[in-house]
Amino acid sequence: MCCVLRRLQSKLPQISFEILAECKHTRARTGILHTPHGDIETPVFMPVGTQATVKGLTQRDLAEDLGVQILLANTYHLYLRPGHELIRKHGGLHRFMSWPNAILTDSGGFQVFSLSEIRKIREDGVVFQSHLDGSTHKFTPESTVDIQLAYGSDVLMVLDECPEYPVSHEYAREAMHRTVRWARAANDHFLCRIAEMETRHALFPIVQGSMFSDLRRECATALLDLDTDGYAIGGLSVGEPRPLSLEMVEATEDILPRPKPRYAMGVGMPAELPEYVARGIDMMDCVLPTRNARTGSLFTSEGRVIIKHARYKDDEGPLDPKCTCYTCVSYSRAYLRHLFQSGEILYSVLATRHNIQRYLDIMREIRHAIKSDSFPEYLRSVRSASDEAE
Amino acid sequence: MCCVLRRLQSKLPQISFEILAECKHTRARTGILHTPHGDIETPVFMPVGTQATVKGLTQRDLAEDLGVQILLANTYHLYLRPGHELIRKHGGLHRFMSWPNAILTDSGGFQVFSLSEIRKIREDGVVFQSHLDGSTHKFTPESTVDIQLAYGSDVLMVLDECPEYPVSHEYAREAMHRTVRWARAANDHFLCRIAEMETRHALFPIVQGSMFSDLRRECATALLDLDTDGYAIGGLSVGEPRPLSLEMVEATEDILPRPKPRYAMGVGMPAELPEYVARGIDMMDCVLPTRNARTGSLFTSEGRVIIKHARYKDDEGPLDPKCTCYTCVSYSRAYLRHLFQSGEILYSVLATRHNIQRYLDIMREIRHAIKSDSFPEYLRSVRSASDEAE
């Protein structure tokens, strides 16, 4: 009962989105996402800090050196270790990990479906075994909201079911409908919870529907009712061919409300970033820049560098001559290769730093191109460079 | 022939040592070691950068944040990978690893004796198998000088034989005499080489003699003839009881020339640092702060913290309340424990940062105590704190 009244009050925007410029020929737009932990220039790429750390970088490196305005943390991992109650007790994730800027957390759904070997989907949630110690846990639409509020996330995600690829239309439909029901339950619970809180948070529902355009459109339409502060597109990067991922984003572009931010979860490769932006996406995240850095695959303005290759053994040049990051300004490819071959921690530190910088530089180029009315040309140049590389 | 003439010219000091204050009651002194890559306040602790990297820290962290004025790199490791010729080609170790301050390199002798399973000592050097690929190599007194000059080290070490502990007096004597002969050969070669060079370098011979005072005194006396810019005491931290290490340093204190810097190799624990200084030592190095950091053992002003202990799980306090390092200022024990338990790279980065800071803080305290004429009191306070901890 109390919730109904409070619900009205709480419809003040928890985060707000301001569009500054739009491309005349594509769906690209640039703007600012205002959050309780600072403004975020969009389109934005969010580095992934799975366990409350972007592997290898200090929070100072991220915020001050790289200028990261928002990062993503994983609800599933932090729930299992160190636990959301501990994080709440320590004043939330921002304080626990000493991060001054915005945080987006996923709902844990994706990890339950990808990491947990034993899981059981029920109408009211999902029961799963921890990949760490085999203990049994249950996530519900309500509990994952509570967990994320314990973290103090600026942007929360609803619990969703992310089917593997490929899957039948029938199963995808069933899972999509469950995702919509869960989104409603999560949102109801979220509105009650934040009505009692002084801090501000936003909850994004997630469009699912596997690789079926009709299901994705049905899902997006159903989620519109929730009138949330933003919308996410999930179920991508699950093994489907790359063009299909873009097609699925296109499928709902005209349904999702233009004034709200749209977040494509778990994408993408450097050349794909402007492709998503061209399809109306404002936010993206991916483990690629950080994971690939650690395994020796570095993204540069001149293409990919596989640092272990013998050709770099004696290479005195910087990793990327056009990059201004600490790694490129201070060290040679030969030194980075030496660190990689020696299994040194500093390799991961320097490589991650560069790859994140590369992604942020691409996002800066994209925002600049949209503002200066040259995004279509920029997109063409990325496509032709990408074709040449293949 | 040319060498004889050049030898005279080259007797200009390659590095110089200036004593600023001496303790009236112990052998402690504080001063400045002037090197081609900056001045070093002594007594100094040198972090170990085995593979041209202090594990987990960037060169900027080391030089700018921590104020490290000199670090140590390992001749053996860098000779095997990436190779001294590559490093020479890249303008030496300073440029290769982008390190602006001084570098001291060991001779590789210690690693040959501790890492290589198959080695054969001959009069002219030591033949050994690489621990990386089993390939056969030979170090001679002359070749290790050449390798270190290829690195461009500010301070080079002579090839020495470091016998295991315990060893017979007979074998220790034989090894010590070989070490003296090698030191002479190394120094002759060094003087010829640097006579032709524009850059400045210093070579330190190493006092050996296992745990026999008479042999150590005989060795130090013999090395005096070389009139080098400094002297090292090696063969410590090889498994002997801690008091014996200090006794061995004491044994030669009155023989080694007072105006020259003295370097105790491979020591020590935090509480031991002032003990060595009290015995006339100006330079020390050890893998303890960096290695222990990575394995979860942290040195604080209040004693050791084993970060995995459950008592730190919920500990919101800083690792060391008295420490001003980035780790202590920014993160809690609970967060560090979480990173450690999760096997995160950032744990090693932050832990190493703190442990190095702790060692440098101790050295600052020592220098201040000597200058302010309170070193004996300082030493007593360290001893009583150390007794309490036991």
Side-chain angles (χ1 to χ4, degrees), chain A residues 112 116 177 186 201 216 247 253 269 341 346 386:
Chain A
V112 166
S116 178
H177 281 150
H201 311 270
R216 290 208 164 250
E247 207 182 303
E253 196 280 325
M269 288 290 285
Q341 297 293 89
L346 185 59
S386 181

Side-chain angles (χ1 to χ4, degrees), chain A residues 50-115:
Chain A
T50 304
Q51 319 241 32
T53 164
V54 176
K55 295 187 192 306
L57 299 183
T58 69
Q59 278 67 305
R60 189 163 78 183
D61 293 337
L62 285 163
E64 295 177 19
D65 269 30
L66 291 165
V68 171
Q69 296 170 330
I70 179 169
L71 55 76
L72 182 143
N74 286 117
T75 291
Y76 170 88
H77 289 283
L78 294 172
Y79 162 81
L80 292 179
R81 184 177 56 195
H84 62 294
E85 285 304 343
L86 185 141
I87 292 173
R88 185 211 307 276
K89 220 178 134 189
H90 285 242
L93 201 44
H94 290 87
R95 190 155 159 260
F96 179 64
M97 67 182 287
S98 192
W99 175 245
N101 301 336
I103 295 175
L104 180 148
T105 43
D106 59 11
S107 68
F110 183 81
Q111 279 73 31
V112 166
F113 292 101
S114 62
L115 287 179

Side-chain angles (χ1 to χ4, degrees), chain A residues 275-293:
Chain A
E275 296 290 356
Y276 283 102
V277 171
R279 288 158 179 83
I281 293 300
D282 308 294
M283 303 163 74
M284 289 173 275
D285 80 283
C286 195
V287 293
L288 269 181
T290 42
R291 183 177 294 164
N292 280 20

Side-chain angles (χ1 to χ4, degrees), chain A residues 65 323-331 346 350 353 357, chain B residues 58-61 98:
Chain A
D65 269 30
C323 181
T324 59
C325 82
Y326 171 66
T327 302
C328 291
V329 166
S330 309
Y331 304 97
L346 185 59
L350 296 177
R353 202 147 171 160
Q357 172 88 30
Chain B
T58 68
Q59 278 67 305
R60 190 162 76 182
D61 293 337
S98 193

Side-chain angles (χ1 to χ4, degrees), chain A residues 173-298:
Chain A
R173 184 183 167 84
E174 193 185 310
M176 180 273 281
H177 281 150
R178 191 160 31 239
T179 290
V180 171
R181 289 194 299 274
W182 283 357
R184 281 197 199 109
N187 196 49
D188 284 349
H189 185 69
F190 171 74
L191 293 175
C192 284
R193 285 294 317 277
I194 59 166
E196 293 158 1
M197 297 172 77
E198 305 227 328
T199 50
R200 290 183 295 131
H201 311 270
L203 177 74
F204 287 11
I206 303 173
V207 177
Q208 288 286 358
S210 188
M211 302 304 147
F212 303 105
S213 296
D214 62 323
L215 298 182
R216 290 208 164 250
R217 291 181 65 83
E218 188 184 338
C219 186
T221 307
L223 295 176
L224 282 189
D225 285 346
L226 303 180
D227 192 25
T228 50
D229 290 330
Y231 290 86
I233 300 172
L236 305 176
S237 301
V238 290
E240 77 279 10
R242 301 274 175 181
L244 250 191
S245 333
L246 292 172
E247 207 182 303
M248 288 305 105
V249 169
E250 268 172 5
T252 56
E253 196 280 325
D254 62 333
I255 298 174
L256 297 177
R258 203 195 66 89
K260 302 277 179 82
R262 297 144 175 181
Y263 162 32
M265 304 180 80
V267 295
M269 288 290 285
E272 290 167 351
L273 302 175
E275 296 290 356
Y276 283 102
V277 171
R279 288 158 179 83
I281 293 300
D282 308 294
M283 303 163 74
M284 289 173 275
D285 80 283
C286 195
V287 293
L288 269 181
T290 42
R291 183 177 294 164
N292 280 20
R294 297 194 303 282
T295 58
S297 176
L298 298 159

Side-chain angles (χ1 to χ4, degrees), chain A residues 51-52 55 59-60 65 81 86 89-90 95 98 313-314 316 326 330 335 338 342 344 353, chain B residues 51-52 55 59-60 65 81 86 89-90 95 98 313-314 316 326 330 335 338 342 344 353:
Chain A
Q51 319 241 32
K55 295 187 192 306
Q59 278 67 305
R60 189 163 78 183
D65 269 30
R81 184 177 56 195
L86 185 141
K89 220 178 134 189
H90 285 242
R95 190 155 159 260
S98 192
K313 190 176 179 186
D314 207 14
E316 292 190 53
Y326 171 66
S330 309
Y335 182 66
H338 163 65
S342 307
E344 284 288 343
R353 202 147 171 160
Chain B
Q51 317 242 31
K55 295 188 193 307
Q59 278 67 305
R60 190 162 76 182
D65 271 29
R81 184 178 58 196
L86 185 141
K89 218 178 135 189
H90 285 241
R95 190 156 160 257
S98 193
K313 188 175 182 189
D314 208 14
E316 294 191 51
Y326 170 67
S330 310
Y335 182 66
H338 162 67
S342 306
E344 284 289 344
R353 202 143 170 164

Side-chain angles (χ1 to χ4, degrees), chain B residues 92 111 159 172 177 199 209 246 252 306 320 328 340 379:
Chain B
Q111 279 72 30
L159 184 67
H177 281 151
T199 50
L246 292 172
T252 55
I306 306 299
D320 183 343
C328 290
F340 181 78
L379 188 59

